Amino acid sequence: MTVTESEPVQPRVCVNAAAPRPRPAGQDRYTISEVADVTGLTAHTLRWYERIGLMPHVDRSHTGQRRYSDRDLGWLDFVGKLRLTGMPVADMVRYAELVRAGEHTVAERLELLEAHREDVRRRIDELGDTLTVLDFKIDRYADARRASERA
C-alpha cells in the first residue's frame, strides 16, 4: 500500500517545543482550538495557512465554525515536517496546489520534494562539519580546565 496525501497520517512529533495533546479518541471533527492544542500551531497560523492556500478547504459547521478532520491533521503534520526541514513557504504552497490539482502533477511533486531533499542533505552535511568544530573546541576547553584544576 502506498501513502498518498489523501490518507490520514498520525502525527508523531509536534512542530513546536510544547508537547501536543493526543487527539480525542474516535473523533474526526476538531475545532480550531483543538487543532491548535494537538499541533502546537496557533489559531492565527491555522487561519493564515488557509488564507495562503497551504491548507486544503476546511469544512465548516452549520454556524460557520471550522471543523478539521483527521485528514487535515495528517496534512498539518506533513507541513510541519516540511517546516522543520526549512522548506520555503512558497514551495509548500506550490506543493499544496499541485496536490489539489490532481494525479497528473505527481511528477512535478516528486521533483519538488527531491530537490528539497537534496537541500536538506546538504544542510545536514554542513551541520555535521559545524558539530565537528564545536566538539573540537569543547574538547580543547575541557582539556584546559582539567589542566588548570591539576595545577
Side-chain angles (χ1 to χ4, degrees):
M1 179 176 117
T2 60
V3 175
T4 65
E5 288 77 20
S6 63
E7 296 173 2
V9 177
Q10 293 294 334
R12 293 183 305 219
V13 184
C14 180
V15 174
N16 294 335
R21 275 190 352 191
R23 294 182 191 181
Q27 183 174 328
D28 186 35
R29 292 287 174 238
Y30 308 91
T31 65
I32 198 165
S33 61
E34 290 171 327
V35 172
D37 284 346
V38 168
T39 63
L41 299 169
T42 65
H44 174 77
T45 298
L46 292 166
R47 287 190 290 275
W48 179 67
Y49 279 6
E50 277 187 75
R51 204 168 37 253
I52 65 172
L54 186 53
M55 264 309 285
H57 171 76
V58 176
D59 287 337
R60 304 276 181 146
S61 70
H62 68 284
T63 60
Q65 186 180 39
R66 287 171 177 83
R67 290 293 183 201
Y68 293 84
S69 67
D70 284 331
R71 182 177 172 186
D72 295 327
L73 292 180
W75 176 257
L76 287 169
D77 181 53
F78 179 64
V79 167
K81 302 286 189 269
L82 295 178
R83 284 180 60 218
L84 284 172
T85 64
M87 179 180 269
V89 172
D91 288 350
M92 289 189 282
V93 170
R94 177 68 184 139
Y95 183 82
E97 290 168 348
L98 292 170
V99 169
R100 282 191 296 275
E103 289 300 312
H104 69 280
T105 66
V106 167
E108 196 173 346
R109 285 183 253 168
L110 177 63
E111 185 178 313
L112 192 151
L113 291 176
E114 286 176 337
H116 184 63
R117 178 178 61 191
E118 287 309 308
D119 182 54
V120 169
R121 286 182 173 156
R122 195 171 27 260
R123 285 187 288 121
I124 288 170
D125 289 344
E126 290 170 357
L127 286 172
D129 292 344
T130 302
L131 185 58
T132 300
V133 170
L134 287 172
D135 288 342
F136 173 78
K137 285 290 193 182
I138 289 168
D139 289 344
R140 295 289 302 254
Y141 290 129
D143 290 346
R145 175 185 281 169
R146 280 190 293 276
S148 71
E149 289 172 354
R150 279 187 242 132

